[in-house]
Amino acid sequence: MKLIKCWMHLNFDSFNISMKSLHIISLHAIRLLKPRFLGVVLTALFCVIHANVFSQSSFVTNNRQTIETEQLLDLIKRIPTKGIAFGHQDATAYGVNWKDEDRLISFLSVKSDVKKVTGSYPSVIGFDLGHLELDKKENLDTVSFILIKDHVQRMYRKGAIITMSWHPNNPASDGSSWDTSHAVTHILEGGKYHSTYIQWIDKLSVFFKSLKDTHNKAIPVIFRPYHEMNGGWFWWGAASCTPEEYRKLWKLTCKLLQKNGVNNLLFAFSPNTLANPQEFDLYYPGDEFVDIIGVDIYNHNGDSTFMVDLNNNLAILKKKAAEIDKPFVLSETGNISRSNKKDWWTQSLYPAIKNSGIAWVLVWRNANYKHFFASYEGDSAKNDFKNFVQSDDILLLDQLKKI
């Protein structure tokens, strides 16, 4: 009996014990004890296993994920063995000289600039949830949440991967995401606006849980909040909170969503262009709170600088991804420094991402003919874009569905 009492009072928070070790201990215990104590031993063994499992599990991103969400993560991990999936933000909501409207839902096929040019949809479709926290009907880019929900359902049926960013307003000032007034410290536990933030996450939770397929199963979504935190232009960025506060914000967000029963999310962590690996580590909230890592890199300063930044940053991510066993992506990119260059896709972007190991590359939105990142029918670089997506390793939706 002394052995049993000692066994049941072990502190499993202070060390880990393997299942093999438990098996060996139990066999020795059964041999040493009389048969009438066998039931007690088995009960004690169950308690030990239960304590051991739960002492190690705290919060993990896949702790309560649906089967479909786990299958999505598996697909994302397999993509680099076949190529690089191509993604586009707001791909089906609007494009150059067109916009889908709520009144057209279910009456017309889903449009896409990429599909008009190439004949296939992007593999990855991005949407943004900014202003959902404010109970607005439309997000910050004037796309209705009704339409987003409809397009998520329709594109998921077609086999697309859905990713969602979030540009929430500044909770302390009521300004936009780009209002860099200090806010993070005020929404953490004990802060003045902590309850407000809980309400915001409650609203996101309702939306995420409303995303159901035709079998009433939750649609898996990649959630990429609080991106580009190492830059100084957002209220969650380097100019407005400390790295420690940022990490706490990320963990708080994950835990609140899990508490609300949201189990269809994969969490993506994506800083802006990194100066070094240490900058990544500075903000990284921990393996148990992240499923996918990425980086946002735009061509601001010319192709040469862009390609060097891409090569350096994707090398950093590749090493990190191998160390922590996570897939990695080019979570945002685009050619801001266009000038008259018509071969950016094949001569700048493609050489920098080819054989990089990323699961996908996502370009930003096509707002109008002066602000677009994917090609469209009137684009002078349309043929180069076609050549880019026709590369054997660039996967549009038709190719993704074959994986």
Side-chain angles (χ1 to χ4, degrees):
M1 291 301 292
K2 289 182 179 179
L3 175 61
I4 295 172
K5 288 180 181 179
C6 177
W7 195 4
M8 294 186 69
H9 284 83
L10 288 174
N11 181 5
F12 289 93
D13 289 328
S14 61
F15 65 94
N16 296 328
I17 185 168
S18 69
M19 294 302 296
K20 183 178 180 181
S21 299
L22 287 171
H23 178 67
I24 293 171
I25 292 170
S26 64
L27 287 177
H28 283 296
I30 290 170
R31 290 193 188 102
L32 290 170
L33 295 171
K34 295 179 181 180
R36 66 175 178 271
F37 294 127
L38 183 60
V40 179
V41 171
L42 293 176
T43 301
L45 178 62
F46 171 80
C47 293
V48 170
I49 294 172
H50 187 272
N52 185 55
V53 170
F54 283 92
S55 69
Q56 297 178 44
S57 62
S58 58
F59 176 89
V60 289
T61 54
N62 63 356
N63 195 29
R64 299 178 185 175
Q65 285 174 348
T66 63
I67 292 174
E68 292 75 19
T69 310
E70 293 175 356
Q71 290 172 339
L72 174 59
L73 184 58
D74 180 66
L75 170 63
I76 293 168
K77 289 180 177 180
R78 285 187 283 116
I79 289 174
T81 66
K82 302 297 183 181
I84 301 168
F86 180 78
H88 187 202
Q89 182 74 7
D90 287 338
T92 59
Y94 55 82
V96 178
N97 296 325
W98 66 272
K99 183 180 180 183
D100 206 343
E101 302 289 351
D102 293 354
R103 61 185 175 82
L104 300 178
I105 286 178
S106 78
F107 290 100
L108 298 176
S109 60
V110 180
K111 295 181 181 179
S112 161
D113 278 343
V114 172
K115 188 175 189 299
K116 289 179 181 179
V117 172
T118 68
S120 179
Y121 290 103
S123 294
V124 182
I125 311 291
F127 295 104
D128 195 272
L129 299 179
H131 290 184
L132 183 64
E133 75 279 0
L134 305 178
D135 293 319
K136 301 288 187 181
K137 293 182 179 180
E138 296 180 337
N139 74 2
L140 75 168
D141 296 315
T142 70
V143 181
S144 85
F145 293 110
I146 292 174
L147 186 136
I148 291 175
K149 179 179 176 180
D150 175 74
H151 282 205
V152 166
Q153 292 169 329
R154 294 168 75 174
M155 294 310 298
Y156 178 71
R157 285 199 300 271
K158 294 179 184 292
I161 295 171
I162 307 299
T163 179
M164 293 188 173
S165 51
W166 186 28
H167 288 83
N169 267 23
N170 186 311
S173 68
D174 293 327
S176 72
S177 292
W178 292 266
D179 180 342
T180 55
S181 303
H182 288 237
V184 174
T185 186
H186 299 302
I187 60 176
L188 296 175
E189 189 171 356
K192 182 178 180 180
Y193 299 106
H194 182 63
S195 61
T196 298
Y197 190 66
I198 290 175
Q199 292 171 10
W200 283 13
I201 297 300
D202 288 347
K203 294 170 186 177
L204 261 66
S205 300
V206 170
F207 183 80
F208 284 133
K209 292 166 75 173
S210 75
L211 301 175
K212 300 293 182 69
D213 65 12
T214 53
H215 302 289
N216 203 36
K217 292 184 178 180
I219 294 173
V221 170
I222 293 134
F223 184 40
R224 190 176 64 95
Y226 303 128
H227 61 303
E228 301 174 7
M229 76 300 298
N230 54 329
W233 42 88
F234 294 129
W235 59 259
W236 58 85
S240 305
C241 69
T242 67
E244 181 182 8
E245 288 172 337
Y246 176 85
R247 295 192 301 268
K248 286 181 179 179
L249 172 62
W250 184 281
K251 293 176 184 179
L252 172 66
T253 304
C254 291
K255 290 178 179 179
L256 288 174
L257 286 164
Q258 187 188 56
K259 181 181 178 181
N260 288 346
V262 180
N263 56 11
N264 57 329
L265 301 183
L266 296 174
F267 291 87
F269 171 81
S270 63
N272 194 57
T273 307
L274 295 161
N276 50 58
Q278 292 73 34
E279 191 174 8
F280 179 96
D281 296 335
L282 192 61
Y283 294 93
Y284 186 62
D287 295 348
E288 66 269 37
F289 295 95
V290 175
D291 297 290
I292 301 164
I293 61 174
V295 66
D296 297 359
I297 304 178
Y298 286 85
N299 183 15
H300 290 282
N301 302 309
D303 294 350
S304 297
T305 301
F306 173 71
M307 294 175 72
V308 169
D309 286 342
L310 263 186
N311 286 325
N312 291 342
N313 276 252
L314 295 184
I316 291 172
L317 284 193
K318 187 172 187 176
K319 187 174 186 296
K320 292 290 181 185
E323 291 171 355
I324 61 180
D325 191 26
K326 311 280 184 188
F328 67 107
V329 303
L330 182 50
S331 41
E332 281 187 36
T333 194
N335 187 17
I336 293 173
S337 178
R338 282 192 190 87
S339 64
N340 294 317
K341 188 174 178 62
K342 297 180 181 180
D343 60 357
W344 181 80
W345 296 99
T346 58
Q347 301 305 310
S348 298
L349 178 62
Y350 182 68
I353 63 174
K354 181 179 174 62
N355 298 323
S356 64
I358 59 174
W360 72 74
V361 51
L362 182 141
V363 298
W364 208 235
R365 62 198 192 100
N366 282 12
N368 52 61
Y369 74 95
K370 291 184 178 180
H371 184 85
F372 67 93
F373 293 94
S375 190
Y376 67 99
E377 285 187 312
D379 179 21
S380 61
K382 179 175 67 175
N383 290 333
D384 188 58
F385 180 71
K386 284 183 179 180
N387 290 333
F388 166 74
V389 300
Q390 286 170 0
S391 302
D392 291 339
D393 54 349
I394 300 299
L395 310 175
L396 292 175
L397 184 54
D398 289 345
Q399 290 79 43
L400 179 70
K401 290 190 290 187
K402 297 175 183 178
I403 297 178

